[in-house]
Amino acid sequence: MTGYLGTFALAVGFLAALASIGLWAREATRGTSIAAARHGACLMLMGAAGAVAAVEWALLTHDFSMRFVAENGSLSTPLYYTVTSLWAASDGSLLLWLLVLTVYVVVVALRRPRAAERLHPWAMAVLSVVAAFFFGLVLFTGRAFDSVAAPAGGGPGPNPLLQDHPAMGIHPPLLYAGFLGLAVPFAFAVAALITGNVTRRWLDAVRTYTLVAWVALTAGIVLGAWWSYAVLGWGGYWAWDPVENASLIPWLVATALLHSAMVQRRRAALPAWNLSLAVTAFLLACLGTFLTRSSVVVSVHAFADSPVGPLLLGFVAALTVGVAVLVLLRTDRLGPPRTIGPLLSRGSVLLVNNILLTCLALTVLLGTLFPLLAELLADRQVSVGPPYYNRMAVPIALVLLALMVVGPMMRWQGDEPGRLLRQLAVPVVAGSLLVTVLAFAGVHSASALAAFGLATTVATMVAADFAAGVRRVRVSQATGWLRATRVCAVRRRARNAGLVAHLGVAVAVVGIAASSVYTVSAEQKLAVGERLSVSGVTAELAAVDRSRTEQVMSTAARIEVIDGATRTTTEPELRFFPAHGMTVAGPAVLSDLTGDVYLTLLSVDESSRTATVRLAVNPLVGWIWAGGALMALGGAFALWPRRRTRPGAVAVRAGEPEQTLEVVPR
């Protein structure tokens, strides 16, 4: 019965999406509001929510007559992982995808932007087309609600890798919120091309959605790296895996869009470029979904072979051709190129920033797709590994880091070299001093020194900018410091948000550089009582323990970790899941501000009563998670509702020197 209800909910959502396409197109052409169009959006959400609720109810009640539950449910799976089993397999994750998409559809339907009222119905028609495709995809190719015979033993449970860390309950929904948030800028960009209204109005309408998508993608990518580090047992957090890259590429394009949008708002320049970025970001998100749901790539993150892969690829191709035709038809509406300002101006720096971000995205995309193209065109199997990405991506990333220092200091109308050099003096000196100290201390990696120096320069620039913002506040005797600071913060909110995000990038870069270059590791077969030492840290095998439950057989090595005067007992594990025929290495991680001690149990020899253990000392890994959190916090800070200026308060335009904020008492 539950399966029939889920299928019925999908059918309702699919029909509502089809009807919404016509209703929104009619509203767009006639110029009159049609209430049924908004009701159609709500009906889509109800259909997606009903299908998701049906699967969740079947999982929670252990209804093994439903295929999805029979393949992914279990009587012994904890409640949290039972709920998150929804996105443990392809069919369920597509239902989550639909739910997130329809939430965006309803929000956009109910919030008509005053800045782009004419574009709104066309954008909703485009979103309805996207929703109709995914409803049809799930309804006609999905097998989640099929009836099957109940499996013996109470079900296999979800993939063991997806029930070993709480981040997996948050990571996929965040990525989906990011991917599908990019559908809104895509829809308004297409609407701008349809109507020929390619001014900044569509950008104003999608600013919030772009920021939400960027924040969600940032948090999702960082949580995914943390999961990989804490669960997979290989000791790293990013392997340039095709599915990892599939989330990074649209994030890079969305980052470029957020920066280039400022140029169009301030200088009315780059309209075609911004339209292209908005369209490309969502198309790349759909391409990443294709990579995840097809068998063309081998990845620990990918789902098994699924019939939706070719359909997704066809959908991406159709959208690409449709947008290309619109661009050709609207070339005359884009207008002549507009200047972005002098060479030494913020607009010029943002243009270079966009070029580099785009080049970085293309570099990662080429490395991801090249093995597929080589096999398709030349029938050759090739692989593109970390050396390619490190060689190509690291120089671009370092230049982008340098632009984070220069860009916020520059004026939009142009700058003088002398003033710019004075502004750069303190941050550059701070970065140079750190590089000198580290070089004398024995740090010889050029890329690591450059990363540490530039990150320090960025952090110093951010601190100096915050300090300058405070100094620009002139407070009268009767007003008081607190109120003036509060008003100043309101006026500098967008700038401060960007600076916090830049600081997060700098912190993450330090963690990435340190852990990539200076990790030290060793592995050794140990008997009970024997020791392994790495970089001043000693691991002593104390015992090997075994345990068994209904779902898993575990072998744990009890290890005493000696770091200076500190002794800690920890237990890395090997867990075998008979229902899946899979062995998972559960590492033990001891963390502090300076880095992690990372222990992995590789194998156990019962005949000789020995265990092979890998011990690694990974410096500053925690800085990566802290940097990612700061980046997401900066984006969230930019989303904070704007407050109106109080009477008597004179605003300061962010980034302009020699300005003051005076608050006149009432």
Side-chain angles (χ1 to χ4, degrees), residues 73-84:
S74 170
L75 293 172
S76 56
T77 301
L79 177 62
Y80 177 77
Y81 294 110
T82 296
V83 173
T84 61

Side-chain angles (χ1 to χ4, degrees), residues 420-471:
L420 190 59
L421 290 174
R422 288 192 299 272
Q423 294 283 323
L424 286 170
V426 173
V428 170
V429 168
S432 301
L433 282 175
L434 179 68
V435 169
T436 303
V437 170
L438 291 177
F440 277 109
V443 177
H444 300 304
S445 169
S447 59
L449 283 173
F452 294 147
L454 287 170
T456 303
T457 306
V458 171
T460 307
M461 181 276 298
V462 171
D465 193 277
F466 278 125
V470 173
R471 286 197 302 269

